[in-house]
Amino acid sequence: MSETRVGFVGLGLMGQGMAANIVGKGYPLSVYAHRNRAPIEDLISRGAIEAADLADLGRNSEVIFLCLSGSPQVEEVVAALKPGLARGTVLVDCSTSDPVVTERLAHELAAQGVDFADAPLSRTPKEAWAGTLDCMVGATPEVFARIQPIIATWAGKIVHIGGVGDGHRMKLLNNFISLGYAAIYAEAIALSEKVGIPIASFDSVIRGGRMDCGFYQTFMASALEGNREAHRFAISNAYKDLRYLESMANDAKVVTNMASAAKNAFAYAMANGGDGPEDYVPHLTDFTAKLNGKS
């Protein structure tokens, strides 16, 4: 049993599996319920303790992980945690957040003697439960040394990218590539069908070739096999991430022809009914098909 007391906020698709690994591998864990009781009850059954509120979770934790939808939610939770945070506490944001907000929060918390790190994720809920996520960390070397053993309970690959904010910058680049793939796949499938090549034939050429990858396989499990749960990452989150990327590029004065095109593919889906919590990234094929005249 580790003596480091850990808190976790954000027990969604990724967070529940991550938290289960933390408590399952010996760390005392405090959790907080926002709306859904099921993950809380599961984690309590594994040995976690439920905090009365966020300030209480802050008081009883030395390292706190946040796995939320985006920067607005992170800011809200950090504000609620602040009254309970002691000097030397570390907050670790595993969300895909705006690096500008990340740096500002780090500066504000430093005045309170609290450290902040960004440690966003890659892969899927399946890997969260298996403890084999990828993680890219922005933190000082000292803070990274403190949080790395805890991150290792749920991540198989951990890369210390640089200082605070660099993890989130790298995550936006990572998601630009993956979501760019999604936009390309959706458009290629629409074109394939328009010219008379069935999706199965299209897939038989790509799968196992140089253009194949893990992202392609989960995407096609939905588009080809009809498994709409194969890649549970919401279109709304994808759109948010690409907007964060665009903002980062604007600040850096970088032309983003491809990123803007990918963002617009998701913007179309959002504007045409794809903004629900169960509208996942592979469903982009449906909206791209509709844009091209398929009902």
Side-chain angles (χ1 to χ4, degrees):
M1 175 71 74
S2 169
E3 295 181 356
T4 303
R5 292 174 289 118
V6 180
F8 205 106
V9 182
L11 302 170
L13 293 175
M14 303 294 279
Q16 185 180 358
M18 295 161 65
N21 275 294
I22 292 171
V23 70
K25 293 174 184 175
Y27 285 90
L29 180 69
S30 295
V31 293
Y32 174 71
H34 181 47
R35 286 188 297 267
N36 187 0
R37 291 292 310 172
I40 291 289
E41 300 298 340
D42 172 69
L43 291 165
I44 289 172
S45 75
R46 298 171 188 267
I49 298 171
E50 182 177 4
D53 53 37
L54 288 170
D56 179 56
L57 185 142
R59 279 188 292 272
N60 290 288
S61 304
E62 297 165 272
V63 177
I64 302 170
F65 289 89
L66 312 178
C67 193
L68 304 166
S69 301
S71 288
Q73 293 76 24
V74 171
E75 290 181 283
E76 181 181 348
V77 167
V78 169
L81 287 168
K82 272 185 176 181
L85 299 178
R87 294 184 67 86
T89 305
V90 182
L91 268 62
V92 186
D93 184 11
C94 298
S95 322
T96 302
S97 298
D98 181 345
V100 173
V101 175
T102 300
E103 290 185 325
R104 176 168 54 76
L105 288 174
H107 179 74
E108 292 173 1
L109 289 165
Q112 193 175 334
V114 174
D115 289 304
F116 196 83
D118 43 314
L121 326 164
S122 183
R123 295 189 180 270
T124 72
K126 178 182 176 182
E127 286 80 30
W129 282 100
T132 57
L133 289 170
D134 294 347
C135 181
M136 51 219 84
V137 183
T140 65
E142 296 77 16
V143 169
F144 179 73
R146 284 187 64 187
I147 64 177
Q148 190 274 340
I150 310 172
I151 294 173
T153 65
W154 47 260
K157 179 181 180 181
I158 306 169
V159 180
H160 185 194
I161 295 292
V164 174
D166 288 338
H168 282 147
R169 292 184 184 95
M170 185 64 231
K171 173 60 173 173
L172 294 179
L173 293 168
N174 179 87
N175 281 20
F176 164 42
I177 294 172
S178 65
L179 299 172
Y181 282 170
I184 289 172
Y185 297 157
E187 194 166 307
I189 289 168
L191 179 57
S192 178
E193 290 190 307
K194 276 280 190 175
V195 299
I197 298 174
I199 297 179
S201 299
F202 172 91
D203 180 69
S204 67
V205 172
I206 304 301
R207 192 175 297 270
R210 291 185 66 192
M211 298 300 103
D212 195 0
C213 65
F215 187 93
Y216 174 83
Q217 291 172 16
T218 56
F219 188 95
M220 292 302 289
S222 174
L224 176 63
E225 300 164 20
N227 179 4
R228 297 182 71 84
E229 301 290 306
H231 194 118
R232 297 172 70 191
F233 185 72
I235 286 173
S236 57
N237 278 333
Y239 179 55
K240 176 264 297 181
D241 293 352
L242 289 169
R243 287 189 292 110
Y244 285 172
L245 177 82
E246 191 168 63
S247 177
M248 183 172 77
N250 289 341
D251 289 343
K253 297 180 176 60
V254 171
V255 177
T256 55
N257 295 328
M258 302 302 293
S260 295
K263 184 207 71 174
N264 288 339
F266 285 94
Y268 176 82
M270 289 286 291
N272 287 273
D275 56 350
E278 295 183 353
D279 290 306
Y280 300 131
V281 164
H283 308 170
L284 189 65
T285 54
D286 299 336
F287 296 98
T288 305
K290 180 181 179 181
L291 184 60
N292 286 282
K294 182 178 179 181
S295 59

